[in-house]
Amino acid sequence: MSKSKTRVFIYGSCVSRDTFEHLDPEKFELVAYVARQSALSAYTRPVELMAPPTLESQFQQRMLSGDFASSLRPQIASAAAGTDLVLVDLVDERLGAYLLPDGSVITRSLELIQSGSEQYLPQGAQYLAFGTQQHFEYWQTAISYIGERVRHYMPQANVVLLDIPWAEWSETGEKTPESFGVSARDANPVFQSYAQFAAQTLARQVISLDPSEVVSSATHPWGDAPFHYAENVYLNIVQQLTGAEGRVIWGTGATRTMTADLPVQQDAGGTAPAADPSAAVPERATVQQRVPDAAQDTQGAQGAAAPLRRLEGGPNFLIAGTQQGGTQWLQHQLSRHPQVDVAKDAAPFFSRPTRLAKDEEIQKFLQPFADGGKPLRGHRSPGYFWVADPRSEFSPPRKHDTAAAIRDMLDPGAPVLLSLRSPVERAISAYWRHFSNAQIELGAGIFQSPARLGIVDLGFYRRHYEDWARTLGPERLRVLVFDDLVDRPREYLQDALGALRADDAPEFWESLKPKVKVGNVDWLPQFRKQSPITAQEIAALYALYADDIRFMEELLGRKLPRWHNVGRLVKQYTAEGK
């Protein structure tokens, strides 16, 4: 492709596609086109629980398969060097999405509906209706991630969000038809919230039109719909985008030149097709949208997840704990005991569905335990102790049930050690760790951190513990307190070994010289000078976790004074405290 042309990457549907058609082909060329793919689908893992349906249209097949493969992410990386302009619109979000039991997502597109695949969704699939609080919270995390990925791979590209309202009227003065039961009057206020957030987290430039400036056209090549505009609307967008006039391609005397990678079939509009009469359609884009019956009717679902099998010769206890909670220290110390060995590899296994049912992944996980030299064999991963809550603004679309996988695959009596730190201090420590890894931008505080990192959500200990206790049984869970590791490391270790029922080993205790270093890691001071963390944020975290702290004190039957010491945290972790 010629370097003299502006190279365009489209992520969207009707609005971006038709805007591109009105650009001068001598100055602009298409490098990639990703459509029919919600940000939720692009953000989450590829779909493995079912295969995409087979469609007659090659374009539709390519887009639907791309949705199942979450193709936006690799396409951003592969097209990065050859992209100057990214055009984005949000039209493909309007029908919502399906969250599958393994955490993957399928966009509810026209193609999916027409194929009849909704009735074959895996059991437990959940419909996330556009405009609901649940959808919006999940979507915020997803679009933020996409923005991060674009900025990382395409720092040179101009990202433009086309925030164009649906047209309520056609150019002939008639009301525009509804799209799947949703009118322009109902859709526009809902889209506004999504567009505002996308403008903040994704786009470098936003092109907006007033509702009075948009009308639809019954002569639009793809049919009459509130997002199929009259040609002068696209010419207006091009003028704002380039500062130059766009080309007329379907008006009087114009010769339409189709772009090779753009579709030629009619786009979605009007009412739901009759191909699947059982598929329920959301009546309007509001928080009252209902879950389609098709999502509940999963008898005979194709591609259901294989049942998990009990592991033979694997670990017989776990260190789940929490990040920045002392689990690595515990792993090192326990492995010095003559009866205990904890695998050095702390890569997650039970929280990764792609690993649980594949023989090669299972064998890779079991390999460190193959020699069987010690009777107590442990596995550590501090990211396990995390249960999502769709009602929480801090929780990502993370649906895999890690505790259930542990229940189904490990010995039913295998104990689980949970080493927990003050949720406020844990959040601060995690924030700086992610910041140092360039996963958080300078100037973004703890509460603006991406939900996918779990900086705030991992500290809701009550939610996580109650879920694990229901799944595994409270008798299998032993809570260890990070404060004890700092103040009384020998007692902390005795508590852990007692939960494992390890024999007394005098030689272990005689040689033990536990060193516990707590405080600022070497890289923290230079970042803290630029710290966006304030005393107010720490106080807000403490208030947020108040119920979790009370719960843990009741569970342990003891007070946790360090967890209440907000003043110490302000002094230690903020610029104000110095």
Side-chain angles (χ1 to χ4, degrees), residues 170-181:
S170 73
E171 58 186 348
T172 61
E174 298 178 348
K175 275 279 190 180
T176 54
E178 294 183 343
S179 175
F180 286 83

Side-chain angles (χ1 to χ4, degrees), residues 214-237:
V214 296
V215 291
S216 71
S217 175
T219 61
H220 189 288
W222 317 123
D224 194 10
F227 35 79
H228 292 163
Y229 307 111
E231 194 157 36
N232 67 329
V233 176
Y234 300 107
L235 298 178
N236 189 350
I237 298 172

Side-chain angles (χ1 to χ4, degrees), residues 286-297:
T286 68
V287 294
Q288 283 79 31
Q289 285 180 297
R290 56 194 175 92
V291 178
D293 294 338
Q296 310 300 322
D297 181 12

Side-chain angles (χ1 to χ4, degrees), residues 345-541:
D345 184 6
F349 177 75
F350 296 102
S351 60
R352 299 293 172 85
T354 53
R355 301 190 68 187
L356 299 180
K358 294 182 178 179
D359 287 339
E360 62 273 21
E361 290 292 339
I362 292 175
Q363 293 307 314
K364 180 180 178 181
F365 174 71
L366 293 178
Q367 198 277 330
F369 310 102
D371 59 12
K374 296 182 178 181
L376 294 171
R377 306 178 302 275
H379 163 62
R380 175 184 77 92
S381 188
Y384 284 160
F385 193 56
W386 189 4
V387 178
D389 181 359
R391 300 166 298 178
S392 172
E393 62 182 296
F394 305 109
S395 183
R398 178 190 178 96
K399 300 299 292 183
H400 178 68
D401 194 339
T402 301
I406 294 171
R407 176 197 63 202
D408 296 341
M409 301 187 78
L410 285 191
D411 185 298
V416 179
L417 305 180
L418 301 173
S419 185
L420 303 182
R421 189 178 187 177
S422 155
V424 179
E425 191 164 15
R426 182 214 53 78
I428 296 170
S429 182
Y431 171 85
W432 283 119
R433 175 60 66 185
H434 288 298
F435 182 91
S436 69
N437 291 334
Q439 294 175 292
I440 300 173
E441 294 184 358
L442 181 64
I446 289 179
F447 290 102
Q448 287 75 49
S449 60
R452 62 183 173 81
L453 300 178
I455 290 174
V456 176
D457 205 55
L458 278 163
F460 292 120
Y461 294 155
R462 179 171 191 155
R463 181 210 307 165
H464 310 322
Y465 183 88
E466 288 182 340
D467 183 272
W468 279 48
R470 284 192 299 268
T471 303
L472 297 172
E475 69 281 356
R476 292 180 61 178
L477 305 180
R478 177 65 63 91
V479 176
L480 308 173
V481 181
F482 181 78
D483 303 4
D484 296 337
L485 185 156
V486 176
D487 299 333
R488 299 177 293 278
R490 295 178 71 91
E491 294 179 21
Y492 176 90
L493 278 174
Q494 285 177 330
D495 195 6
L497 290 168
L500 302 181
R501 298 182 180 179
D503 292 341
D504 188 34
E507 66 276 18
F508 169 73
W509 296 108
E510 290 172 2
S511 62
L512 185 66
K513 295 181 180 180
K515 294 182 180 181
V516 181
K517 180 182 179 181
V518 178
N520 298 337
V521 290
D522 295 338
W523 43 261
L524 180 57
Q526 60 178 320
F527 289 126
R528 194 178 61 190
K529 294 177 182 178
Q530 312 168 63
S531 173
I533 297 179
T534 65
Q536 289 76 18
E537 283 184 294
I538 291 178
L541 282 171

Side-chain angles (χ1 to χ4, degrees), residues 36-352:
R36 317 302 198 262
Q37 191 170 148
S38 166
L40 290 170
S41 175
Y43 165 68
T44 51
R45 58 190 298 274
V47 174
E48 296 181 345
L49 297 183
M50 64 182 294
T54 301
L55 306 174
E56 293 184 6
S57 164
Q58 292 184 1
F59 171 81
Q60 289 179 317
Q61 185 68 63
R62 189 166 66 253
M63 294 300 105
L64 193 61
S65 297
D67 180 54
F68 275 63
S70 302
S71 65
L72 177 64
R73 287 177 294 172
Q75 285 191 257
I76 288 173
S78 63
T83 297
D84 304 305
L85 171 64
V86 182
L87 282 183
V88 181
D89 70 73
L90 307 179
V91 173
D92 281 335
E93 303 290 352
R94 71 190 187 281
L95 296 178
Y98 288 104
L99 179 63
L100 304 190
D102 66 350
S104 59
V105 170
I106 298 174
T107 304
R108 189 169 188 258
S109 62
L110 174 68
E111 289 78 11
L112 186 77
I113 296 171
Q114 289 181 325
S115 71
S117 295
E118 287 181 299
Q119 61 184 311
Y120 299 115
L121 294 173
Q123 186 173 5
Q126 181 182 3
Y127 178 51
L128 303 178
F130 176 72
T132 62
Q133 185 67 22
Q134 184 182 30
H135 181 278
F136 186 56
E137 289 181 357
Y138 283 2
W139 182 87
Q140 286 177 303
T141 300
I143 201 70
S144 297
Y145 169 80
I146 292 171
E148 293 172 7
R149 194 169 182 87
V150 170
R151 285 188 293 273
H152 175 76
Y153 285 101
M154 300 177 173
Q156 79 290 348
N158 184 28
V159 183
V160 180
L161 174 67
L162 301 182
D163 176 21
I164 313 300
W166 286 14
E168 294 188 35
W169 304 93
S170 73
E171 58 186 348
T172 61
E174 298 178 348
K175 275 279 190 180
T176 54
E178 294 183 343
S179 175
F180 286 83
V182 180
S183 68
R185 181 181 293 273
D186 291 330
N188 283 335
V190 183
F191 267 108
Q192 186 176 21
S193 299
Y194 287 78
Q196 288 175 346
F197 190 85
Q200 297 171 1
T201 60
L202 174 65
R204 296 181 180 177
Q205 179 183 354
V206 179
I207 294 178
S208 301
L209 296 180
D210 189 88
S212 63
E213 298 178 281
V214 296
V215 291
S216 71
S217 175
T219 61
H220 189 288
W222 317 123
D224 194 10
F227 35 79
H228 292 163
Y229 307 111
E231 194 157 36
N232 67 329
V233 176
Y234 300 107
L235 298 178
N236 189 350
I237 298 172
V238 170
Q239 179 69 38
Q240 293 193 46
L241 178 64
T242 68
E245 294 184 358
R247 63 171 182 152
V248 178
I249 59 174
W250 65 66
T252 303
T255 301
R256 181 172 177 80
T257 303
M258 288 301 302
T259 304
D261 199 38
L262 297 184
V264 295
Q265 74 286 341
Q266 183 172 342
D267 207 323
T271 58
D276 181 13
S278 66
V281 177
E283 296 177 353
R284 59 177 60 231
T286 68
V287 294
Q288 283 79 31
Q289 285 180 297
R290 56 194 175 92
V291 178
D293 294 338
Q296 310 300 322
D297 181 12
T298 54
Q299 296 294 327
Q302 296 179 351
L308 302 180
R309 60 183 175 88
R310 187 77 66 188
L311 298 180
E312 298 293 338
N316 50 25
F317 76 91
L318 292 182
I319 302 175
T322 189
Q323 294 173 337
Q324 313 301 318
T327 61
Q328 188 173 15
W329 184 91
L330 184 60
Q331 168 192 338
H332 175 73
Q333 298 297 338
L334 288 179
S335 294
R336 301 178 67 254
H337 191 281
Q339 290 185 314
V340 184
D341 186 27
V342 184
K344 294 181 180 180
D345 184 6
F349 177 75
F350 296 102
S351 60
R352 299 293 172 85

Side-chain angles (χ1 to χ4, degrees), residues 561-576:
R562 190 171 303 200
W563 291 24
H564 295 279
N565 194 341
V566 175
R568 177 184 64 84
L569 298 177
V570 170
K571 182 177 180 180
Q572 182 173 351
Y573 289 102
T574 72
E576 304 162 46

